[in-house]
Amino acid sequence: MSNFLPMGIVCLTLFTGSLISDKVPLAQDLQLTNQPVNIASLVNGQYQFCSQPDPQDWRDGAGVCFNFSKTGNQVNGYYGYPHSDQFVCVRGIADKNRITGEGLSILWDIPQKNTVDSAEFKWDAEEHLTLSQANILNTVNVDEDSATWILYRKALLNLEGFYQYNRPRMTPVSQLCQWSFNS
């Protein structure tokens, strides 16, 4: 019995040391993945940023997300909630983690009227997207099932504190954002 006590202490010490050494690299990895990213300084490419960390499951994103392409300081993408039809196309200029430009949205089944309110408003509950200067571009099927395209001449998207995902997983921008009007 007296031989087991020192052997137990040695095993416990080795086990504790292995736990500590395993946790140190994990903490370093966590720091690297959560470092702030300056969107304006990203290289040209396709990106996805979300307000919540990658859920590491079947979902395309968590929270509210911005899926976009970047060329120079020009950004073209859409901002919205994954697995929903709630999104706004946004294109503009990146300055640090802010995108300044214009927005385009599709509203389903809104009451028919000739103008929309052009006052500034926060589009999302998180208050990252501000839109104003709205103009109705087109309305189709003006009966019970209508769709209205609205251009917002002023859009400001603040992505400060968002998480960069390792690759875009949401629907490609080209499938959702058709800027096919004269702006």
Side-chain angles (χ1 to χ4, degrees), residues 65-158:
C65 299
F66 186 48
N67 187 20
F68 65 99
S69 63
K70 180 177 180 290
T71 306
N73 64 352
Q74 299 286 319
V75 174
N76 182 26
Y78 66 93
Y79 177 76
Y81 297 92
H83 304 287
S84 79
D85 61 357
Q86 297 179 15
F87 67 93
V88 175
C89 298
V90 176
R91 68 179 179 185
I93 305 293
D95 180 19
K96 296 182 183 168
N97 287 321
R98 291 178 180 257
I99 313 300
T100 304
E102 55 188 359
L104 178 68
S105 69
I106 302 172
L107 299 179
W108 306 99
D109 298 325
I110 63 169
Q112 186 179 12
K113 57 184 180 177
N114 293 332
T115 61
V116 294
D117 187 6
S118 63
E120 185 174 285
F121 69 98
K122 301 288 186 183
W123 180 83
D124 56 324
E126 294 84 356
E127 298 188 352
H128 293 286
L129 177 61
T130 304
L131 299 169
S132 65
Q133 300 178 12
N135 296 309
I136 292 180
L137 295 178
N138 191 14
T139 301
V140 294
N141 299 332
V142 185
D143 53 347
E144 293 178 21
D145 298 324
S146 65
T148 302
W149 280 260
I150 299 176
L151 172 67
Y152 297 94
R153 291 279 178 197
K154 190 172 180 186
L156 175 62
L157 178 57
N158 183 356

Side-chain angles (χ1 to χ4, degrees), residues 154-173:
K154 190 172 180 186
L156 175 62
L157 178 57
N158 183 356
L159 299 172
E160 192 69 41
F162 274 50
Y163 298 87
Q164 181 179 358
Y165 285 26
N166 61 352
R167 64 179 172 77
R169 296 196 309 262
M170 295 169 55
T171 303
V173 175

